[in-house]
Amino acid sequence: MVSLRCHRSKYIWATLGVLALLWLYIFPVYRIPSDKEMVDEVLRQGQTWSRNQTGVDLYRKLLTECCDPKRMFAVTKENSPIGKVLWYDGEIYHYHTVTNETYPIFVQDTPLLLPLKKCSVVGNGGVLKHSGCGKEIDQADFIMSFQNLLWSRKSFVESMKAYGSSYIYIPAFSMKPGTDPSLRAYHALADSASNQTVLFANPDFLKNVGRFWKNHGVHGKRLSTGLFLVSLALGLCEEVTAYGFWPFSVGLDKRPVSHHYYDNILPSSRFHAMPEEFLQLWHLHKSGTLRMRVGDCAKEGQEPKKEK
């Protein structure tokens, strides 16, 4: 009896071992590099960067096939007629049905003159502080950045004046709690006779972009706003440079760096997968598909560093 139990136990453990190996073969463990390893990797890459038009064309093609950013990145009268159900991409059980009240606030169709030329996508990473990148960012033909929605109508309208005649891209139909403040933002600008155009992010586009990156190794519950905008830029722009995307605790000088340029509050790892997102963007940087600025740019009075 003892011998039988011993053989049975060995058989069970052997079976579990085989199953574990099969699991690792099918779903390999992917280790995110440490902060130090990532700094060393970026320093090895150095400042040299060359644009790869083949890579640019490939990702524009992939994003067009999965997500159709030119036609679908914003909710429009053309793609969202009255009666269309907009399922929230961040809350699968909620939706908004386009009605006679909401339909008039949508633009007729995509208002951008495509393709856009040189685009800057500005994140909110702490590496932006004292980076000297402001002048370089402003030299782009089109700039995408993101920040929290201000709740006060007056302060919101006043803060938006700094952007002049621009487009305000708002995810009104991503999560239900964001719908009312997003619509208030639209009406606040409309009531003030603002010359800015509000574009509402299309939840179908956001959902498809999320699936795209999940298939490419980003496993967070939801993409960061920054990666959504980079994806949009890759689909619409001929040349993309990303600033402020650095989710690590030390910079290239090996000194501590805050998570945001305005605070050091870390995001929930159960919601976003920031290091995974960075690695995907860094792969695109190394392949010449887009350029990432994670170190200092030219200081005031200096010419921007020339690319090779």
Side-chain angles (χ1 to χ4, degrees):
M1 180 67 72
V2 173
S3 177
L4 179 60
R5 287 178 178 174
C6 181
H7 285 300
R8 182 178 295 171
S9 177
K10 289 180 179 179
Y11 174 77
I12 293 173
W13 282 110
T15 302
L16 290 175
V18 171
L19 291 174
L21 290 174
L22 286 172
W23 179 270
L24 291 175
Y25 178 78
I26 299 172
F27 302 103
V29 175
Y30 181 68
R31 186 181 72 84
I32 299 296
S34 67
D35 292 11
K36 181 181 182 302
E37 289 172 326
M38 205 61 241
V39 168
D40 292 340
E41 154 72 11
V42 174
L43 289 174
R44 280 194 299 270
Q45 179 75 15
Q47 293 288 337
T48 301
W49 181 83
S50 297
R51 185 164 174 259
N52 177 7
Q53 188 60 46
T54 300
V56 173
D57 293 340
L58 172 62
Y59 262 81
R60 186 181 296 124
K61 179 176 182 292
L62 291 174
L63 286 164
T64 297
E65 291 174 349
C66 80
C67 314
D68 194 6
K70 291 183 180 180
R71 192 178 74 89
M72 295 298 294
F73 84 95
V75 177
T76 67
K77 290 184 173 72
E78 186 269 330
N79 63 38
S80 300
I82 294 175
K84 179 177 174 61
V85 176
L86 300 174
W87 287 94
Y88 288 59
D89 63 287
E91 294 180 322
I92 60 175
Y93 299 112
H94 293 97
Y95 62 89
H96 172 83
T97 302
V98 179
T99 66
N100 289 325
E101 293 182 2
T102 52
Y103 180 77
I105 71 177
F106 303 150
V107 294
Q108 180 62 40
D109 52 25
T110 302
L112 305 178
L113 184 61
L114 301 175
L116 301 174
K117 303 297 183 182
K118 186 176 180 180
C119 297
S120 293
V121 183
V122 186
N124 54 18
V127 292
L128 281 177
K129 288 194 299 186
H130 313 300
S131 67
C133 291
K135 184 176 180 180
E136 184 175 308
I137 291 170
D138 290 341
Q139 289 175 345
D141 300 305
F142 200 88
I143 300 171
M144 303 180 187
S145 62
F146 57 96
Q147 62 182 30
N148 292 330
L149 178 66
L150 300 176
W151 289 90
S152 165
R153 282 171 57 100
K154 183 178 179 179
S155 60
F156 174 74
V157 170
E158 287 299 316
S159 67
M160 290 298 102
K161 288 181 180 179
Y163 298 99
S165 179
S166 59
Y167 298 98
I168 312 299
Y169 191 53
I170 302 178
F173 308 109
S174 284
M175 294 187 178
K176 193 171 180 59
T179 301
D180 285 344
S182 296
L183 296 179
R184 286 203 301 272
Y186 167 84
H187 289 295
L189 291 171
D191 292 345
S192 66
S194 169
N195 62 349
Q196 294 163 328
T197 301
V198 174
L199 301 176
F200 296 104
N202 193 318
D204 290 339
F205 171 74
L206 300 181
K207 189 181 303 176
N208 289 332
V209 169
R211 289 172 179 165
F212 174 84
W213 286 110
K214 183 164 288 188
N215 291 334
H216 284 73
V218 177
H219 300 100
K221 183 178 179 182
R222 181 174 171 79
L223 298 185
S224 70
T225 306
L227 188 52
F228 277 125
L229 289 180
V230 169
S231 305
L232 177 59
L234 287 171
L236 302 183
C237 306
E238 294 182 348
E239 182 178 336
V240 179
T241 303
Y243 302 82
F245 289 80
W246 183 256
F248 306 105
S249 61
V250 293
L252 299 185
D253 57 4
K254 310 244 177 120
R255 294 181 180 179
V257 60
S258 61
H259 186 70
H260 301 119
Y261 63 81
Y262 48 83
D263 66 32
N264 197 30
I265 299 176
L266 299 178
S268 171
S269 59
R270 294 177 297 176
F271 202 67
H272 296 315
M274 303 302 292
E276 288 183 0
E277 290 189 6
F278 177 86
L279 291 176
Q280 293 296 326
L281 295 177
W282 186 244
H283 168 72
L284 295 180
H285 171 88
K286 291 196 295 185
S287 68
T289 304
L290 59 75
R291 188 179 188 189
M292 292 192 71
R293 280 294 206 178
V294 295
D296 290 345
C297 299
K299 302 299 183 184
E300 291 296 328
Q302 296 180 347
E303 291 297 320
K305 298 174 182 176
K306 294 185 179 180
E307 300 168 5
K308 296 182 180 179

